Amino acid sequence: MTFARLVASGFGSGFFPIAPGTAGSFVALLLGAGLLWLSPAALPVAVLAAAFGGLWAVSAADAGDDPGWVVIDEVAGQWIALLPLARPTLAGLAAAFVLFRLLDIVKPGPVGWADRQHGPAGVMADDMIAGAIAAGILWAAQTRWPGIVDWPG
């Protein structure tokens, strides 16, 4: 396996036999929780690395129009969804995961538009937009109901 294919597959999580996108998102959730715990700067840096690394990997792996095994886009999107969390909590992680997966599957508005685009940017864009919308919803919920994703501490 080439390094590009390894990155594009979310370091192999995209080869999970059932629901590889969900598997990739779950792996990203666990890694993202660790990054949140490590440092406030670690997750934003990882998002940038996944975004630019994903563009390169999808192109270099000649992945075409988003085959099921390509999950680096889910990794980037899931990490974006985690950005509003100050620290990893069960409620916050669950909310970020469910919101991101729902938006990624349903593909409302701009997510659906991005999904119809071709090439590496199209592969990455729908999941990153879904992650941004999920992050916006989490941020808004925290603003309206402080502490909603902070339990249990």
Side-chain angles (χ1 to χ4, degrees):
M1 176 181 308
T2 66
F3 184 65
R5 192 171 169 98
L6 185 66
V7 171
S9 69
F11 292 91
S13 62
F15 296 113
F16 194 75
I18 301 166
T22 300
S25 295
F26 187 71
V27 169
L29 182 76
L30 297 177
L31 292 172
L35 291 167
L36 280 170
W37 189 259
L38 182 66
S39 163
L43 188 59
V45 169
V47 166
L48 290 173
F52 289 111
L55 287 170
W56 166 79
V58 169
S59 178
D62 197 23
D65 287 333
D66 205 4
W69 60 268
V70 172
V71 296
I72 189 65
D73 50 338
E74 274 86 359
V75 171
Q78 184 64 71
W79 284 350
I80 291 169
L82 293 173
L83 287 173
L85 302 179
R87 59 189 170 90
T89 64
L90 185 57
L93 294 172
F97 182 78
V98 169
L99 282 169
F100 171 69
R101 289 307 298 149
L102 180 65
L103 290 163
D104 186 29
I105 291 166
V106 174
K107 300 195 183 309
V111 181
W113 172 84
D115 186 57
R116 293 186 296 275
Q117 306 310 303
H118 299 285
V123 170
M124 296 297 296
D126 69 311
D127 293 280
M128 294 181 70
I129 293 169
I133 294 170
I137 293 169
L138 276 177
W139 175 82
Q142 290 179 102
T143 301
R144 177 68 176 105
W145 301 287
I148 193 167
V149 294
D150 287 336
W151 57 270

